[in-house]
Amino acid sequence: MSKTRHLVDPEIHPLLEMPDMDIRAETLQDIRDNPRIPLSDLPPPPFPVTDAFAPVPGGPDVKLVVINPPSEKKGRAALLHMHGGGMVLGNADMAKVGKPEIALEHDCVIVSVDYRLAPDTPFPGPQEDNYAGLVWLTENAESLGVDPGRIILYGESAGGGLAAALSLMAGDRGGPKIAGQALIYPMLDWRTGGPEDRWGNAHTGEFIWNRERNQFGWNCLRGDYDPVDERKGWFSPSLAEDLSGLPRTYLSTGALDLFLDENLDYGRRLIDAGVPTEMHVYPGAIHAFEFVPDTALQAQSRADFKRGLQRLMG
């Protein structure tokens, strides 16, 4: 019997009826090969979207999906996007749905990174792919009509965690300057759902992305890495000891999302470190709640994100 169904906003109950994904090593490739909603079934982007490739030191070039709407404006902002999928699923082509509309609305460029997935490529492979995407975007800013001082990192779920990790990497390496980070229910703490879970919240994580799936994703990413060295925050941003100097942050999450507690804690720590931070927690919201169309929660989160992104863009 469900413990939290009565707390879920009734408008997003269609999400509760979706069959659970049995994500484990034996089923992972089949889930990748047979997504619930194939991209071919979705409407095409409203303008041409192109691919580019960025060199990755020690690895194959990483594909980038470049969403560059027609514009006469120079010095536009750019979003470097990292997709969700629990570190083990998804691809950058997912950005062809929804992201072109964001690019048009804000007259900005969006570049989505097709980072390698775990467990095929464990830490730090995906992080290095995203860093390569950031370097590529910075080096190609002029040809894209982008101001390299207006680059914002953006991701949902695992992508939000990878965006937070990239902010830390760029700072630690003295890499490209980042103007902001937009973290949508980010996957930040590898301990959540495991024996070292710091929260044990009885009202989060029952639906869509639960503790077992979370641990599977993190263990795939971890491989044989022991997160105790200076790179531990690149692996799991919640482990970073110093958040000072990070860029302005927009962070949103659901009150029933598995990531609620780690998101609140990260936002509090950002504020304590002097980072301008905007946080939103949506009541009755589970993971991926905004995918149910025409709901009050979706409208509210979209309006908040629009205003928050405008503030990050400056």
Side-chain angles (χ1 to χ4, degrees):
M1 178 176 291
S2 171
K3 297 186 299 182
T4 62
R5 185 184 180 98
H6 66 288
L7 299 174
V8 178
D9 187 297
E11 285 194 304
I12 61 172
H13 272 199
L15 274 179
L16 310 186
E17 310 309 322
M18 293 179 63
D20 280 343
M21 285 192 297
D22 180 24
I23 304 177
R24 48 194 169 87
E26 296 79 9
T27 63
L28 185 58
Q29 192 57 52
D30 182 62
I31 294 173
R32 290 176 179 173
D33 294 341
N34 298 283
R36 285 177 171 173
I37 305 176
L39 285 173
S40 59
D41 292 350
L42 297 170
F47 54 85
V49 171
T50 61
D51 292 344
F53 292 87
V56 180
D61 291 356
V62 61
K63 187 180 95 168
L64 308 172
V65 173
V66 182
I67 301 169
N68 186 0
S71 177
E72 298 298 323
K73 185 179 178 182
K74 301 296 182 183
R76 290 177 291 170
L79 307 182
L80 185 71
H81 173 255
M82 283 133 272
H83 66 80
M87 308 295 180
V88 297
L89 297 170
N91 58 65
D93 287 328
M94 295 162 56
K96 295 176 181 177
V97 179
K99 300 301 183 285
E101 288 72 20
I102 294 174
L104 284 169
E105 184 175 39
H106 293 274
D107 194 9
C108 69
V109 174
I110 301 178
V111 176
S112 190
V113 186
D114 199 33
Y115 60 86
R116 289 168 289 173
L117 300 174
D120 316 66
T121 304
F123 176 82
Q127 285 81 353
E128 293 292 354
D129 290 350
N130 293 321
Y131 190 84
L134 174 61
V135 171
W136 183 92
L137 178 53
T138 303
E139 292 177 346
N140 289 274
E142 183 176 356
S143 65
L144 294 169
V146 164
D147 179 350
R150 300 180 69 202
I151 293 175
I152 295 162
L153 307 184
Y154 165 39
E156 310 93 350
S157 193
L162 289 167
L166 184 54
S167 290
L168 292 162
M169 286 180 73
D172 291 346
R173 288 180 166 178
K177 181 71 173 177
I178 297 166
Q181 55 180 352
L183 313 178
I184 312 303
Y185 39 73
M187 182 175 175
L188 299 170
D189 195 333
W190 79 288
R191 297 164 293 190
T192 299
E196 297 180 67
D197 192 324
R198 296 182 296 158
W199 313 114
N201 191 324
H203 295 92
T204 61
E206 182 177 359
F207 302 106
I208 305 296
W209 192 252
N210 60 27
R211 286 162 175 79
E212 293 74 24
R213 291 173 197 141
N214 197 53
Q215 280 296 289
F216 175 75
W218 277 116
N219 287 331
C220 286
L221 179 67
R222 180 183 177 187
D224 59 4
Y225 172 63
D226 186 8
V228 296
D229 64 15
E230 67 279 0
R231 301 175 301 163
K232 61 187 179 184
W234 305 0
F235 166 67
S236 174
S238 290
L239 300 181
E241 296 176 5
D242 183 5
L243 303 185
S244 62
L246 288 176
R248 292 176 296 171
T249 301
Y250 176 92
L251 193 158
S252 66
T253 192
L256 305 176
D257 194 308
L258 177 64
F259 301 143
L260 169 70
D261 294 289
E262 64 194 65
N263 291 172
L264 291 175
D265 181 66
Y266 200 71
R268 183 201 61 77
R269 290 181 59 209
L270 286 167
I271 293 168
D272 189 42
V275 177
T277 301
E278 175 180 350
M279 283 198 295
H280 297 270
V281 178
Y282 297 103
I286 61 176
H287 201 67
F289 69 91
E290 78 280 17
F291 285 97
V292 181
D294 303 320
T295 68
L297 277 177
Q298 183 195 62
Q300 182 65 54
S301 65
R302 285 184 173 179
D304 291 338
F305 178 70
K306 178 181 178 179
R307 288 190 295 266
L309 197 55
Q310 288 171 338
R311 282 190 280 269
L312 293 182
M313 290 178 174

